[in-house]
Amino acid sequence: MFAVYSTFLNRAFDQLLLDVGMHHMGVTFVLDRAGVTGPDGPSHDGVWDTSLTGIVPGLRLAAPRDAERLHDALHEALEVNDAPTVIRYSKDKLPDPIPAERHVGGVDVLRHAERHDVLVIGYGQMAGTALQVADRLTKQGLGVSVIDPLWALPVPPALVRLAADYSLVVTIEDGMVVGGLGSRVELALDAEGVDVPVREFGIPQEFLPMATRAELMEQLGLTPRQIARDVTELAMSVMPHVEFDLDDLDDLGTQDADPAGHARPGKPVRRRS
């Protein structure tokens, strides 16, 4: 087991890829300070690890949402002896336990809706945000389920099967969107011919300014209010059968600004041909 700050793994990537991955060695990398660290500064923001480690063949990556899941992931990782494993977690205090309503093929279902409109996937520390987003979307009359895949990489087959039943899939992570966990979900859906629009929320491909974590999440549009508004606007385009409460949509807030003060545009929904 090798414990290191998430951002410092960047310097050891060659060893992870060629010394550990290529030789199928069962080494566990425990990444502290994963995600947006805030006052530690841009050199310590652990937003690169999912994009980098995701290209290592056979690697397994977990982003535990609470202390109980972190405990379980550590024990499970130590049983893997033929491939590298990565466990990432925030420097912030782990939240109170977030129980699952059910378990499906290694995926925790944190909230199940009878009507399958939107499936929200929350990774690690963003699982709580995903549940808050679901609360807001439910007020719009949408059927919203929330899942945590526990082991995010490789993408569990059960996640793909679940996503196939929904009209829109939303992923929320505190790592890079480019090459991130949401993009891996989209690749997995494509590979199985699942034609579901995907909207990925995460960190853009840029160095973040110095600020508190809360300030950065607000600037990046990664608060429950901002995400819910973006998702509602997308849902209106892909689910015309749903009657939305436009007055309530206005209450979600207007379009937010980026750190430079410019309007941060919403990312268009991706459709498959």
Side-chain angles (χ1 to χ4, degrees), residues 42-59:
S43 65
H44 282 56
D45 282 322
V47 298
W48 322 99
D49 59 89
T50 52
S51 299
L52 286 172
T53 60
I55 65 175
V56 178
L59 180 141

Side-chain angles (χ1 to χ4, degrees), residues 24-187:
H24 306 285
M25 298 181 66
V27 178
T28 295
F29 295 82
V30 181
L31 307 185
D32 182 19
R33 285 168 167 75
V36 177
T37 58
D40 289 348
S43 65
H44 282 56
D45 282 322
V47 298
W48 322 99
D49 59 89
T50 52
S51 299
L52 286 172
T53 60
I55 65 175
V56 178
L59 180 141
R60 298 181 62 193
L61 182 142
R65 66 181 182 269
D66 56 28
E68 182 177 339
R69 257 49 64 169
L70 175 59
H71 178 273
D72 293 345
L74 283 169
H75 280 271
E76 187 171 347
L78 292 175
E79 297 298 320
V80 178
N81 56 21
D82 60 352
T85 51
V86 173
I87 301 173
R88 69 188 308 268
Y89 57 91
S90 168
K91 76 167 189 175
D92 294 341
K93 179 183 177 181
L94 290 168
D96 293 334
I98 302 175
E101 292 185 0
R102 63 180 70 176
H103 308 277
V104 180
V107 174
D108 274 1
V109 179
L110 307 183
R111 182 171 302 171
H112 174 73
E114 292 301 322
R115 198 173 78 236
H116 293 178
D117 292 326
V118 182
L119 178 66
V120 181
I121 306 171
Y123 293 100
Q125 192 175 16
M126 303 305 285
T129 298
L131 287 167
Q132 294 178 58
V133 169
D135 289 339
R136 292 172 177 269
L137 295 178
T138 299
K139 293 178 181 178
Q140 287 292 330
L142 292 165
V144 185
S145 297
V146 180
I147 63 172
D148 170 14
L150 298 177
W151 286 91
L153 296 178
V155 177
L159 186 153
V160 175
R161 292 193 295 271
L162 286 168
D165 289 335
Y166 287 79
S167 299
L168 176 64
V169 173
V170 173
T171 65
I172 308 175
E173 59 188 298
D174 59 356
M176 296 286 288
V177 170
V178 177
L181 302 177
S183 69
R184 297 302 295 265
V185 169
E186 187 166 13
L187 287 171

Side-chain angles (χ1 to χ4, degrees), residues 35-38 42 45-48 126 129 171-177 199-228 230 254-267:
V36 177
T37 58
D45 282 322
V47 298
W48 322 99
M126 303 305 285
T129 298
T171 65
I172 308 175
E173 59 188 298
D174 59 356
M176 296 286 288
V177 170
R199 172 62 159 95
E200 303 150 25
F201 289 90
I203 310 302
Q205 192 172 359
E206 59 189 49
F207 294 105
L208 303 180
M210 180 79 75
T212 67
R213 175 181 169 86
E215 289 170 340
L216 289 171
M217 299 306 267
E218 179 78 23
Q219 292 170 0
L220 295 168
L222 293 178
T223 66
R225 174 181 57 81
Q226 294 164 311
I227 294 173
D230 284 351
T254 56
Q255 194 172 45
D256 298 282
D258 67 15
H262 304 297
R264 183 175 295 279
K267 178 181 174 184

Side-chain angles (χ1 to χ4, degrees), residues 187-199:
L187 287 171
L189 295 177
D190 277 337
E192 295 300 321
V194 177
D195 186 19
V196 178
V198 179
R199 172 62 159 95

